[in-house]
Amino acid sequence: MKQGLSLRVSQHLALTPQLQQSIRLLQLSTLELSQEIEQMLDDNPFLELTQEEAAREEFGLAQADVPAREDEGEFTAAPPGEDTIRTSTSAEAETEAVPVDAQDTSWDGDGSTEVVPDDGEWGGDAPARKNNLGGDEETDATELARGQETLQGHLHRQALSLRLGDVDRAALSFLIESLNDDGYLEDSLASLAQSLAARDPAQQEELVHRFTVALGLLQHLDPPGVGARSLGECLTLQLKAMSDSHGGARETALHICAQPMELLARRDVKRLAQVCGDTETQVKAAIGLITRLEPKPGRRFINVERNIVIPDVLVTKVGRGSQVRFRVQLNPDVMPKLRVHDVYAGALKAHRGEGHQALQQRLQEARWFIKNIQQRFDTILRVSSAIVERQKNFFVHGELAMRPLVLREIADELGLHESTISRVTTAKYMATPYGTFELKYFFGSALGTETGGNASSTAVRALIKQLVAAESLKKPLSDSQISDMLKEQGIECARRTVAKYREALRIAPANLRRAL
């Protein structure tokens, strides 16, 4: 084997720590970003959160006005540069890999510790409102959620009126705390007893007896059906709590709930009539009674704060008629107010030396973090403005006017990578005149039309929802019929595609939508 030396030139890509952080921050949701900021505030002494307002000239919140026309004419975009955050730095958030020799590989920076414009407060351009619902008279949804009574609290309050011994009261309290959000007791009494007395069989048997008594008490509390261990038991408890005014329908409904739930789900009237020994007319009346019951007794107690979505972007309509425009702006309630601690940065500058290299790196890290936060919101605003521009018909006419849109179109327009657009549109929300939507909602595949054009899948789903809402309850539309009706409107949509969209909309099949 002959040995020799050779020279080879090659290029490879690498991500600096700064770029990695920029990518990570870009894909975080509002909640995850808040947690990231809290963690950074705890770890880095040079970063602080302030409530003071920053000068609007440095860190003002830009607004991009997108004109909207009610006719089908050309759409005029906002002047370039209006859809960005005005900051002291003009660097744009890049999420693409760059050659390794063109980057720094650490937080070292240039070693300087001077207070730079980035060290000022960021995000404090406008005083944060108590809520983002509008006027001062409105109540924040979070405050409403905190004031709402929980299912467990509602049941504990009722349990106080029962005359129970200490042991039975403790058993009832334990079962109440073991309920899930829907009000069901998922674990068996034996498993609950075993969790409390795993090594004592005699004590387990005693606990099962106590839990059985407590379960009977629990199932007589409000709301009816609470403490059930299955859907059939839940419906049965609610039927037993009804008055006798429903007559035979109530008794037939009890018979139906004792059967496998699959028969009720399929509304198999003939089979239910056979197993229950009742007529089909009685079974239909009983099913009608069951449909008025609540399958999830704890539904109205579920904490609404879990479903609160705080939008990252606000879109508001300004002007009237042909002068209608849509203003796109970042939500000031989600903008963090960060700055580099000027006292610490000044002290480090005054005592610069070899022993302070680690502190200099921490200061540089704080500056980069603020810069990456700025870039994150800048990119979100740019992408949102481009979406509003492309989907102008939606903001004027609603979801039926949604046009097909893919990530690459926005990426090409803004000069960003498609993966960047994907990160920006994930878990980011936009408040519009028609409601709050995830940014991904505005993207949809294209379906062909007879005229050679394209229709958005989002618009087709909205049309399917509209057709189902207008159908006859006695003769609901099948997937094939909906497909034919779409073809009559020039939209090529196969039956399987209709079924897929219907399931995505959580619309039951035709046989389950049929009124008895």
Side-chain angles (χ1 to χ4, degrees):
M1 179 177 178
K2 185 178 179 180
Q3 295 182 352
L5 297 176
S6 62
L7 182 64
R8 182 174 60 183
V9 179
S10 64
Q11 291 184 342
H12 66 282
L13 302 178
L15 295 176
T16 64
Q18 299 94 319
L19 196 54
Q20 292 176 13
Q21 184 186 73
S22 177
I23 294 174
R24 187 176 71 256
L25 293 179
L26 192 61
Q27 66 188 6
L28 296 180
S29 65
T30 300
L31 178 60
E32 293 169 337
L33 177 64
S34 177
Q35 295 173 346
E36 182 81 9
I37 292 174
E38 289 180 3
Q39 182 65 37
M40 183 62 72
L41 288 170
D42 291 338
D43 295 343
N44 195 318
F46 290 98
L47 196 65
E48 67 173 349
L49 189 64
T50 177
Q51 298 297 329
E52 300 176 0
E53 285 191 29
R56 191 172 182 85
E57 298 79 27
E58 288 188 41
F59 307 110
L61 192 63
Q63 296 179 350
D65 289 343
V66 181
R69 301 191 179 188
E70 297 184 5
D71 54 19
E72 295 299 323
E74 292 294 324
F75 181 77
T76 305
E82 283 192 357
D83 57 346
T84 60
I85 304 175
R86 293 192 298 273
T87 64
S88 58
T89 58
S90 59
E92 176 181 321
E94 294 289 340
T95 57
E96 313 248 7
V98 297
V100 65
D101 54 358
Q103 307 180 62
D104 296 328
T105 56
S106 68
W107 291 106
D108 295 344
D110 56 2
S112 69
T113 56
E114 286 82 353
V115 178
V116 296
D118 283 353
D119 292 345
E121 175 192 357
W122 180 80
D125 49 280
R129 301 172 298 178
K130 291 183 179 180
N131 59 67
N132 55 359
L133 301 177
D136 296 335
E137 299 297 328
E138 298 183 4
T139 304
D140 192 350
T142 306
E143 295 176 2
L144 289 175
R146 293 188 182 125
Q148 183 183 13
E149 187 177 32
T150 64
L151 174 62
Q152 280 72 18
H154 181 66
L155 295 172
H156 283 308
R157 184 163 52 83
Q158 296 177 72
L160 292 175
S161 61
L162 301 177
R163 299 183 64 179
L164 301 174
D166 293 340
V167 177
D168 290 333
R169 186 174 299 279
L172 178 57
S173 178
F174 185 80
L175 291 186
I176 291 175
E177 293 298 327
S178 300
L179 298 175
N180 63 15
D181 290 340
D182 295 329
Y184 283 81
L185 187 65
E186 295 179 330
D187 300 322
S188 66
L189 300 182
S191 62
L192 293 175
Q194 186 177 9
S195 65
L196 296 177
R199 300 181 179 180
D200 192 340
Q203 190 176 6
Q204 288 184 32
E205 184 177 354
E206 174 65 18
L207 285 174
V208 170
H209 172 70
R210 296 288 184 178
F211 285 154
T212 302
V213 175
L215 181 62
L217 297 172
L218 173 61
Q219 292 180 346
H220 281 83
L221 299 179
D222 180 75
V226 70
R229 290 158 292 183
S230 65
L231 176 59
E233 185 179 17
C234 178
L235 299 177
T236 299
L237 291 172
Q238 295 181 60
L239 290 170
K240 290 181 177 180
M242 287 183 174
S243 61
D244 296 333
S245 59
H246 297 281
R250 175 172 170 268
E251 296 301 323
T252 303
L254 288 171
H255 293 159
I256 292 175
C257 292
Q259 307 303 322
M261 287 290 102
E262 290 78 7
L263 298 178
L264 178 60
R266 295 197 306 265
R267 295 192 179 186
D268 193 341
V269 177
K270 292 184 179 180
R271 179 61 178 166
L272 286 173
Q274 292 176 357
V275 297
C276 295
D278 295 314
T279 65
E280 293 186 11
T281 302
Q282 292 175 318
V283 170
K284 291 180 179 179
I287 292 178
L289 181 61
I290 292 174
T291 55
R292 296 199 293 269
L293 302 178
E294 174 55 76
K296 298 179 179 180
R299 191 199 305 266
R300 64 186 175 95
F301 295 94
I302 294 179
N303 193 345
V304 297
E305 187 173 1
R306 300 180 183 179
N307 300 321
I308 293 176
V309 174
I310 301 177
D312 300 86
V313 180
L314 307 177
V315 179
T316 54
K317 181 187 293 186
V318 294
R320 294 182 180 180
S322 60
Q323 302 299 321
V324 170
R325 299 168 64 88
F326 291 98
R327 178 173 299 160
V328 183
Q329 62 180 3
L330 294 171
N331 184 1
D333 291 340
V334 301
M335 304 281 285
K337 302 174 181 63
L338 298 173
R339 71 176 183 183
V340 169
H341 201 298
D342 52 356
V343 176
Y344 292 167
L348 184 59
K349 176 183 176 181
H351 298 83
R352 185 183 303 175
E354 294 295 333
H356 299 292
Q357 185 64 29
L359 293 177
Q360 292 176 7
Q361 294 181 11
R362 299 295 284 177
L363 175 58
Q364 190 67 17
E365 180 182 350
R367 289 173 176 169
W368 273 108
F369 185 76
I370 292 177
K371 181 179 179 181
N372 288 333
I373 292 289
Q374 294 173 348
Q375 293 174 344
R376 175 187 186 272
F377 282 99
D378 173 69
T379 306
I380 292 175
L381 183 61
R382 293 179 61 206
V383 171
S384 301
S385 300
I387 290 174
V388 174
E389 179 182 341
R390 291 297 184 100
Q391 297 293 4
K392 58 185 183 296
N393 290 332
F394 165 82
F395 293 93
V396 176
H397 304 292
E399 59 183 352
L400 287 175
M402 188 82 76
R403 56 157 288 183
L405 182 65
V406 294
L407 298 177
R408 181 169 295 278
E409 293 183 47
I410 302 296
D412 293 341
E413 178 179 340
L414 300 180
L416 300 174
H417 195 273
E418 191 172 345
S419 63
T420 302
I421 307 301
S422 177
R423 293 186 182 98
V424 171
T425 55
T426 301
K428 316 295 188 306
Y429 294 87
M430 177 188 293
T432 73
Y434 294 98
T436 301
F437 304 93
E438 188 179 14
L439 295 185
K440 279 192 179 297
Y441 170 78
F442 299 96
F443 295 85
S445 57
L447 296 177
T449 62
E450 291 182 352
T451 59
N454 292 322
S456 170
S457 58
T458 304
V460 174
R461 284 195 293 267
L463 188 56
I464 292 175
K465 186 193 303 183
Q466 191 177 79
L467 293 174
V468 171
E471 70 183 1
S472 171
L473 295 180
K474 294 184 178 180
K475 293 183 179 180
L477 298 173
S478 65
D479 294 339
S480 298
Q481 290 174 319
I482 294 176
S483 177
D484 294 338
M485 295 176 72
L486 292 175
K487 290 180 181 178
E488 292 177 0
Q489 300 189 32
I491 300 175
E492 298 293 335
C493 190
R495 182 193 63 81
R496 291 183 179 179
T497 306
V498 171
K500 182 179 69 173
Y501 289 166
R502 176 182 53 74
E503 292 174 358
L505 294 170
R506 296 185 178 181
I507 298 176
N511 63 320
L512 298 183
R513 300 199 306 271
R514 182 179 295 107
L516 297 175

